[in-house]
């Protein structure tokens, strides 16, 4: 019996991980579907990946439940309804984040008992590392803020600024390669997640290495939680799995222009564009 158990348990663990990954991929496809309906209604304009500067720039990475509710219900005019996590859920029978923020059940948003399109089952199964709970390290505290399993591409226009009112919202007409342009991706949920390639500014425990569960995403926050890889949704609606070392430069990748790409950044793959124009993102 012990021998059989030893043989079966690894197989069962792999099957469970695969099932979780399948649910996650389905969630990401749903976000892609929601986005396609949204842009059709809003003059081909994509929602924002985060709160913009005229809302509350300090809350771009980890908006609290209190702030999310206040921006929608207490601000005139309403702030932040053009952010993806508020704008898209209703298109796929989900609840906008501001609606979750008023709910008495928001504490279960990231709990294992909660099933919603914001949450990857792998993240809930892994739980939150105690190391990441402090406000100076991850701020991964259930009940304080929504912890995002998925993030929207924050480099759509390559140099999108969170601090300038002149930021140009990305539109479908600006996208050169819809099948390669990243919309959503798995977001890092644990600072000790590996592999993780980081440049000097993001070496653990600094920078993006401890910016966890954020609503916006780029290679510096791409997750490797699914068998050393993560999943990406593209603007043409399809979603797929990629190994982490394909999506993120390890410091030796060479960009199309011949330059070596800093660790943690965009290696300039033809089939994975973070910039809507198809250019490698250099920051």
């Amino acid at each position: 019996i012990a021998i059989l158990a030893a043989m079966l348990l690894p197989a069962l663990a792999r099957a469970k991980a695969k099932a979780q990954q399948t649910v996650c991929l389905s969630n990401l496809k749903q976000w892609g579907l929601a986005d396609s309906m949204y842009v059709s209604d809003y003059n081909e304009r994509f929602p924002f990946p985060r709160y913009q500067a005229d809302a509350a720039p300090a809350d771009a990475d980890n908006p609290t439940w209190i702030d999310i509710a206040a921006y929608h219900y207490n601000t005139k005019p309403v702030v932040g309804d053009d952010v993806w996590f508020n704008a898209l859920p209703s298109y796929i029978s989900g609840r906008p984040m501001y609606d979750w923020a008023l709910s008495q059940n928001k504490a279960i948003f990231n709990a294992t008992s909660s099933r919603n399109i914001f949450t990857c089952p792998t993240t809930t199964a892994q739980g939150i590392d105690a190391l990441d709970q402090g406000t100076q390290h991850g701020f991964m505290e259930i009940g304080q803020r929504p912890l995002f399993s998925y993030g929207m591409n924050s480099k759509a226009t390559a140099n999108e600024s969170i601090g300038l009112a002149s930021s140009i919202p990305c539109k479908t007409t600006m996208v050169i390669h819809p099948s390669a342009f990243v919309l959503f991706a798995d977001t890092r949920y644990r600072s000790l997640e590996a592999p993780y390639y980081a440049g000097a500014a993001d070496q653990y425990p600094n920078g993006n290495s401890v910016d966890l569960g954020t609503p916006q995403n780029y290679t510096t926050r791409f997750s490797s939680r699914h068998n050393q890889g993560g999943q990406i949704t593209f603007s043409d609606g399809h979603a797929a799995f990629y190994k982490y070392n394909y999506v993120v430069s390890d410091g030796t990748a060479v960009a199309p222009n011949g330059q070596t790409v800093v660790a943690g950044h965009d290696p300039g793959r033809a089939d994975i564009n973070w910039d809507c124009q198809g250019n490698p993102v250099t920051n």
Side-chain angles (χ1 to χ4, degrees):
I1 292 174
I3 293 172
L4 286 173
M7 294 173 60
L8 286 174
L9 286 176
L12 290 173
R14 288 194 296 271
K16 181 178 180 180
K18 187 63 177 179
Q20 292 172 337
Q21 184 177 339
T22 299
V23 172
C24 178
L25 186 64
S26 176
N27 286 347
L28 281 164
K29 287 181 177 179
Q30 288 292 301
W31 287 117
L33 174 63
D35 181 83
S36 66
M37 292 186 284
Y38 176 89
V39 297
S40 179
D41 286 345
Y42 286 88
N43 194 31
E44 302 304 314
R45 171 179 167 172
F46 291 108
F48 282 110
R50 55 192 173 187
Y51 285 121
Q52 295 299 292
D54 57 355
D59 295 323
D61 281 336
N62 49 16
T64 66
W65 287 118
I66 292 174
D67 289 334
I68 291 170
Y71 297 155
H72 177 77
Y73 293 103
N74 300 333
T75 307
K76 305 297 180 186
V78 170
V79 168
D81 280 10
D82 53 2
V83 179
W84 73 270
F85 49 80
N86 286 330
L88 299 185
S90 61
Y91 286 93
I92 44 179
S93 301
R95 298 170 63 185
M97 198 64 80
Y98 58 74
D99 187 47
W100 272 100
L102 282 191
S103 170
Q104 295 297 316
N105 295 324
K106 60 179 177 289
I108 71 165
F109 178 83
N110 295 108
T112 55
S113 59
S114 176
R115 291 181 177 271
N116 62 73
I117 55 175
F118 287 101
T119 305
C120 167
T122 297
T123 63
T124 55
Q126 291 175 339
I128 299 168
D129 195 308
L131 177 71
D132 298 327
Q133 293 179 5
T135 56
Q136 300 302 314
H137 190 131
F139 191 29
M140 300 289 283
E141 298 182 10
I142 289 178
Q144 298 299 313
R145 70 175 179 101
L147 309 178
F148 291 86
S149 297
Y150 315 116
M152 188 173 185
N153 177 9
S154 62
K155 299 289 187 178
T157 54
N159 294 311
E160 180 187 359
S161 171
I162 191 174
L164 300 176
S166 59
S167 294
I168 300 173
C170 187
K171 303 184 71 171
T172 58
T173 52
M174 299 164 61
V175 178
I176 302 299
H177 306 296
S179 63
F181 176 54
V182 177
L183 275 186
F184 300 96
D186 280 325
T187 293
R188 280 172 56 78
Y189 208 79
R190 285 184 163 205
S191 61
L192 297 183
E193 181 181 285
Y196 178 65
Y197 305 148
D202 293 324
Q203 289 289 344
Y204 177 84
N206 300 307
N208 286 293
S209 68
V210 292
D211 285 331
L212 306 171
T214 60
Q216 74 274 5
N217 199 317
Y218 171 55
T219 56
T220 52
R221 299 183 187 180
F222 183 61
S223 175
S224 60
R225 63 175 169 264
H226 296 298
N227 189 28
Q228 297 191 331
Q231 302 179 121
I232 297 174
T233 302
F234 298 89
S235 67
D236 69 344
H238 86 280
F241 169 82
Y242 292 87
K243 284 292 190 180
Y244 182 86
N245 60 8
Y246 184 81
V247 178
V248 185
S249 170
D250 63 355
T252 65
V254 178
N257 62 7
Q259 295 183 342
T260 301
V261 180
V262 174
H265 288 265
D266 177 16
R269 305 286 187 193
D271 57 340
I272 303 178
N273 300 163
W274 295 89
D275 169 35
C276 67
Q277 296 293 297
N279 301 313
V281 177
T282 57
N283 57 5

